[in-house]
Amino acid sequence: MAGNLELLGSVLAGAKDEGRAALVGYLPAGFPSIDGGVDAMTAMIEGGCDIIEVGLPHSDPVLDGPVIQTADDIALRGGVKIRDVIRTVGEVHARTGAPILCMTYWNPVDRYGVERFAADLAEAGGAGCILPDLPVQESEIWRKAAEQHGLATVFVVAPSSRDERLAKITAAGSGFVYAASLMGVTGTRESVGQEARELVERTRGTTTLPVCVGLGVSNATQATEVAAFADGVIVGSAFVKRLLDAEGDTEAGLAGLRELAGELAEGVRAAR
C-alpha cells in the first residue's frame, strides 16, 4: 500500500473548500493503552477531527510540555514499541478512513531504520511524518524514503525562524507546514495570539502548502481565533488532558474526547 499523502492533501483542500480550517488532533500511541489509544483516536475523528497525529512516545521529548510527557510516560511504562505506533496508525486509518500521521523525534526513526520506517508506515496506510527535531539540511535520507513511499514530510517552523530559513524549510516539506504558535513547549495557553498570525503570513510568503498552527490551542474560542488565519488548527495537550482527567474511566474518557472534538470542530467553522 502506498502512503496517503494524496488523502491528506484532499482533506485539507476539502476543508478549505468549505471555507474553514481543518481540525488536527494529537494523542501519543499507547495511551492510555495500545488498544485504548486506537479507541481514543477513533473517538476524536467521530467527534469532528479531520486528521490525527499519532505521537511516538519518547523518553526525552524536547517539544512536549508536562501533560504530553505524562501520557508518554504512561505509554512507555506500558511497553509501547515502534511497531505498536505503526499499528495504531494503521488501525485508526482503517476504522475511520482519515489521514493519520506519525509525529516523532528523529532518533527512534534512525534506530528503527529510515527506509524500514517509511515502508512500514506507508504499508499501514499512514499519510506521513511530522519530525520536529530533524534539521532540513540533514533530512535528505528521510525525504527520499518518504517520497518513494508516498508519505508527507512535515517540518515545524517557529516564530524565531527567519524568512530565508522559512523558505528552505517549506521548500523541503510536503503535506503541510506545522507552525509552532510560540516559543516553548506544548501545553494549553490563555492566548495563542499575534505571533502565530505573523508566522503564518510569513510562511505563506514562501510556499503554497497549507499552514497548520499548533502549540497552545485548547478550546473552541482559541480554535476560532486561529482558524481565522490558518489552514489547520492542531490540538494535542487538551485531548490528552481529557483522558487523564477521566482517571481510567474508559467511557467517560471517550465521551470527553468526542465532546472536545465537537466543540473544537464548531470553533474552526465559526471562524469564517
Side-chain angles (χ1 to χ4, degrees):
M1 184 193 295
N4 274 309
L5 173 57
E6 286 183 7
L7 174 64
L8 176 65
S10 69
V11 167
L12 287 163
K16 187 176 182 180
D17 288 345
E18 289 177 26
R20 67 175 179 88
L23 177 59
V24 185
Y26 167 95
L27 270 189
F31 168 72
S33 63
I34 294 161
D35 291 340
V38 172
D39 291 341
M41 294 173 205
T42 302
M44 288 159 64
I45 293 283
E46 289 168 353
C49 287
D50 300 291
I51 298 162
I52 295 290
E53 296 176 8
V54 177
L56 194 157
H58 197 271
S59 55
D60 185 26
V62 292
L63 191 73
D64 295 316
V67 172
I68 290 175
Q69 284 184 28
T70 298
D72 277 3
D73 187 52
I74 289 167
L76 291 167
R77 282 191 282 120
V80 71
K81 301 284 191 289
I82 291 178
R83 64 176 177 272
D84 301 314
V85 177
I86 292 169
R87 176 164 75 85
T88 298
V89 170
E91 290 193 12
V92 178
H93 173 64
R95 283 195 196 180
T96 65
I100 315 295
L101 297 109
C102 179
M103 184 164 188
T104 177
Y105 296 99
W106 178 244
N107 186 45
V109 177
D110 195 35
R111 287 181 61 183
Y112 189 84
V114 175
E115 169 62 31
R116 179 183 167 209
F117 190 93
D120 288 358
L121 185 61
E123 180 66 27
C129 245
I130 302 163
L131 297 154
D133 66 338
L134 178 63
V136 169
Q137 62 271 23
E138 296 170 23
S139 67
E140 189 177 1
I141 183 172
W142 165 259
R143 286 188 286 123
K144 281 186 173 172
E147 192 173 338
Q148 185 183 340
H149 292 285
L151 297 169
T153 297
V154 178
F155 288 110
V156 178
V157 298
S160 60
S161 304
R162 296 177 183 272
D163 291 353
E164 183 185 348
R165 175 95 180 132
L166 280 178
K168 285 181 180 166
I169 293 170
T170 58
S174 55
F176 64 90
V177 181
Y178 187 127
S181 67
L182 37 79
M183 303 304 292
V185 297
T186 60
T188 60
R189 300 291 196 285
E190 290 299 312
S191 171
V192 181
Q194 188 60 28
E195 265 190 322
R197 183 186 292 270
E198 289 171 0
L199 176 59
V200 169
E201 287 173 2
R202 289 198 298 120
T203 304
R204 283 207 181 116
T206 70
T207 184
T208 57
L209 288 173
V211 184
C212 301
V213 170
L215 269 68
V217 180
S218 62
N219 58 47
T221 304
Q222 291 172 332
T224 301
E225 179 190 355
V226 173
F229 58 81
D231 299 297
V233 177
I234 302 168
V235 180
S237 296
F239 282 117
V240 173
K241 192 168 184 306
R242 283 289 171 110
L243 270 189
L244 289 170
D245 288 349
E247 296 181 339
D249 184 332
T250 301
E251 288 311 310
L254 295 177
L257 293 175
R258 285 191 195 93
E259 180 184 46
L260 178 58
E263 291 167 3
L264 293 165
E266 284 182 19
V268 299
R269 284 166 173 81
R272 309 287 165 98

